[in-house]
Amino acid sequence: MSLQSNPSSSSSLLIGLDLAEQLNDRLWMQANLVQALRSALEYLCTTVGFKGGEVIVQTPQEDQCYLHLALDPPYSWSQPLVREKLNALVRQILSEERLVIGRTDLEVGVALPLTSPLGIQGVLLLAGEPSAETGDETLAWLGRTLGRRIAVERTWTGLSGGRRGLQKALTAINAAHSAFHDLETVETLLAQAVNELLGAHQVVLYVFEDTGSDLALRKTMGRVGEWRSVTSLRLERGLVAESARLKVPLFIPRVSEDARYDPQCDGELGNGDSAMIVFPAIADQRVQGLIVVTHLPGRMVSDEEKRWLSVLAGAWAYAIHNTRLINSLRVINANLEVSRWQLINSRNTLRALFDSLPNSIYIVDRQYTLMAVNKSRVSRLGVHPSQVVGKACFVALFGRSQPCAGCKVMDTFLSAQAQTRSLSEQADDGSLREWEITTYPIQGEDGQTLQVIVYENDVTERRRMESRVIQSEKLAAVGQLAAGVAHEINNPLAAILANAQLLRRDLHSEDEGIEESLRLIEIASTRAVRVVQNLLSFARKDNGEMTWISINQSLEKALALLNHEIVSRGVQVEINLAENLPEIFGSAENLESVWLNLLLNAMDAMPQGEGRLVIHSWQDDETLYVSIRDNGYGINPEHLPHIFEPFFTTKGPGKGTGLGLSLCYQIVRQHGGSIHVESQPGEGTEFVVSLPQKFAS
């Protein structure tokens, strides 16, 4: 058994406002005490969570129980032995006025005294355990609330014949405990009731503006039942100040004979021989206000009237205290509501910002569990963020059974430093995507890394641009090299070729070996001259002779030059050139060399007698396009990034110099255009050249 002293103070009321208001209504809106207690007991069992209980109305001076009310008590309570122990527990609580919690041997969760300003009124037994929010102060409040209701009923029942003003006193008490009346109404009813009970000359209420302060509001009521004046003052001296300081009532038979009287604080008296009653209203161990009554000297105040004053003062004190608590809670609730909306708005703003980021971002804990993920990341999976949150990131995002190779999440947890790694991923369309993944630590106040932010940046385009810059720099370097050495190589080659041709013409040898050697010298020299010419063309800085030209005509001219090769190789050519294409300002000679190189490469990549070429031109907005597609062997994916590099070739020895596509790339760039290639091994290759329609006529 746990035996605890009943707290005389209630620094904070640990009970919900709804519960307090509902319980007060059930107690004070029922005229019959039995119905009121039964309704309150039912509400407690339903709301707070008790299984059942009993109310025993009995004072320590009474040998017999005045009222015994039971509601679903445990079966054991009806057994003689347990009943005897319960009666002993009730007598102990009545004599010691103490709170008992946790008598498991009797199935008693709580046994508390029902107290009132008139003394203990009985005991409440509750079976089961109260909720976690029901503390000792809450239980003490319950005991006082039920005790005051019983005291009022018994006092009213015990009065013989009644008195003028008792009905108003009961009305004032009821109003003080009801949620349907404001404090102004309670105080008006209180002053009227005191007036009627004591036949007062004047009733004055002092209400402290704040507990612990000496600043008070003085409200004076005349005999007509209306407030005559309301003033604010500081209670520093006088009878009222002393009663508040000592927390005891004062009964002054003649105010004029008491040296403590101060007119400024205690108020001016209409009759200097008046008697005065000062009764403090105490709640939460603090004086919430004071009731001051003046009447004719010589009138005795009975014990019964003092008890009624005590009940009225107590009810008023708790009305003030509860009103302040309610107002404080309303302010807190309003502030909480404002804070809640601010948090909601902040959360929505952050969520919108989080989801609007074009790059992928998600947050994980030490178990790799996804705590949050933005829409950009899950859009790659085609799901909603809620479908992956709470799962391991390597399972939900990458379809793996364990953390990804090279993952930097755990490194960030251990080092508390940002980490970066690269990842190549093949998209659904077969293209290769490049990702730069950075992990950032989220640290707590103690510096410990709690979570990690994973930021995935798509750097595919940046890598492509970097490759193009590198390619351009390579081309520039090769161009400078070619310009410097081409002429030095060209002169000896010209001499070798000329002498070989002269020897073949002048030397009529019948030796076939010599003839074949001279022919091979001539062929090799011619090939070397062609390489040098390509180098010179590659290194040339000008755009050739610029004029207005037709794309279709330059294509037809290139096809005409290659007609012999096309026929001899058995290539089928499909030509689909758009009509009325605008002319562009460019070099016809250079563009023809582009078409020639692309067409020759296409024919070299196709099987003999089975080749098929498709040539297509069209216009889109202000850009002209030329497509050359073949059904050849195709280009391996690992070779595609290098095909425009100088001297890179996939042809066999002696079949290509590796300068053709480099020249094409340079010429197209000089015309402000671009060249793209798509190829699948075994399915052929397509080159698409785009040229801007600037300076169009």
Side-chain angles (χ1 to χ4, degrees), residues 593-604:
S593 67
V594 171
W595 315 139
L596 286 171
N597 272 294
L598 294 178
L599 291 169
L600 284 172
N601 284 344
M603 288 189 288
D604 289 341

Side-chain angles (χ1 to χ4, degrees), residues 256-487:
S256 59
E257 297 176 0
D258 197 309
R260 294 172 297 178
Y261 170 69
D262 182 83
Q264 183 177 358
C265 293
D266 298 329
E268 295 287 347
L269 299 176
N271 188 334
D273 291 332
S274 296
M276 178 181 286
I277 301 172
V278 183
F279 215 102
I282 301 174
D284 192 25
Q285 282 194 326
R286 298 177 182 272
V287 177
Q288 308 289 336
L290 299 105
I291 302 173
V292 179
V293 182
T294 60
H295 53 82
L296 294 176
R299 184 189 184 288
M300 298 297 294
V301 181
S302 66
D303 291 340
E304 179 185 317
E305 289 172 333
K306 290 179 181 178
R307 286 197 298 270
W308 272 103
L309 271 176
S310 176
V311 172
L312 287 169
W316 179 43
Y318 278 96
I320 296 173
H321 180 59
N322 290 342
T323 299
R324 285 174 173 164
L325 283 178
I326 291 171
N327 291 337
S328 177
L329 286 175
R330 284 173 179 165
V331 172
I332 292 173
N333 286 337
N335 292 334
L336 287 176
E337 186 68 14
V338 171
S339 299
R340 185 175 74 89
W341 280 109
Q342 290 175 344
L343 287 173
I344 290 174
N345 289 334
S346 298
R347 183 200 65 184
N348 292 340
T349 301
L350 289 175
R351 183 76 239 184
L353 177 62
F354 189 66
D355 285 333
S356 299
L357 290 173
N359 293 325
S360 302
I361 184 170
Y362 50 94
I363 303 173
V364 297
D365 62 9
R366 285 184 176 270
Q367 286 71 43
Y368 297 94
T369 303
L370 282 167
M371 309 304 295
V373 58
N374 71 342
K375 290 182 179 179
S376 176
R377 184 60 182 87
V378 295
S379 65
R380 290 154 57 185
L381 305 174
V383 299
H384 191 270
S386 60
Q387 295 178 255
V388 297
V389 170
K391 299 180 181 179
C393 60
F394 53 83
V395 175
L397 302 182
F398 298 97
R400 301 176 183 270
S401 58
Q402 58 185 1
C404 306
C407 179
K408 298 294 184 180
V409 169
M410 196 51 62
D411 292 346
T412 302
F413 272 114
L414 297 175
S415 66
Q417 299 290 329
Q419 306 282 339
T420 302
R421 73 183 181 99
S422 298
L423 173 68
S424 297
E425 182 182 57
Q426 190 169 12
D428 295 337
D429 59 359
S431 62
L432 193 65
R433 309 297 298 180
E434 296 284 340
W435 299 92
E436 186 177 81
I437 304 176
T438 306
T439 53
Y440 301 95
I442 301 177
Q443 296 177 323
E445 295 181 357
D446 57 355
Q448 190 77 10
T449 301
L450 305 177
Q451 295 172 332
V452 167
I453 299 174
V454 183
Y455 183 79
E456 297 180 346
N457 185 20
D458 187 351
V459 295
T460 305
E461 289 301 322
R462 190 174 77 187
R463 294 283 189 268
R464 289 175 182 170
M465 293 299 297
E466 290 173 352
S467 298
R468 290 174 183 173
V469 171
I470 294 172
Q471 176 72 8
S472 298
E473 292 176 350
K474 287 181 179 180
L475 293 175
V478 171
Q480 292 176 355
L481 175 64
V485 303
H487 289 289

Side-chain angles (χ1 to χ4, degrees), residues 28 121 159 362 407 693:
W28 295 98
Q121 299 296 317
L159 291 175
Y362 50 94
C407 179
Q693 185 195 343

Side-chain angles (χ1 to χ4, degrees), residues 26-46:
R26 290 171 183 266
L27 283 173
W28 295 98
M29 298 300 287
Q30 296 279 358
N32 185 277
L33 179 62
V34 175
Q35 294 176 351
L37 292 177
R38 180 178 294 277
S39 178
L41 190 55
E42 289 176 349
Y43 187 71
L44 280 175
C45 291
T46 302

Side-chain angles (χ1 to χ4, degrees), residues 18-74:
D18 291 339
L19 174 59
E21 293 176 358
Q22 291 286 342
L23 188 62
N24 276 324
D25 290 344
R26 290 171 183 266
L27 283 173
W28 295 98
M29 298 300 287
Q30 296 279 358
N32 185 277
L33 179 62
V34 175
Q35 294 176 351
L37 292 177
R38 180 178 294 277
S39 178
L41 190 55
E42 289 176 349
Y43 187 71
L44 280 175
C45 291
T46 302
T47 306
V48 183
F50 295 106
K51 297 178 180 178
E54 293 182 356
V55 178
I56 296 97
V57 179
Q58 182 179 355
T59 64
Q61 295 78 26
E62 294 176 326
D63 295 329
Q64 299 294 327
C65 176
Y66 175 82
L67 174 65
H68 185 194
L69 176 65
L71 178 68
D72 299 327

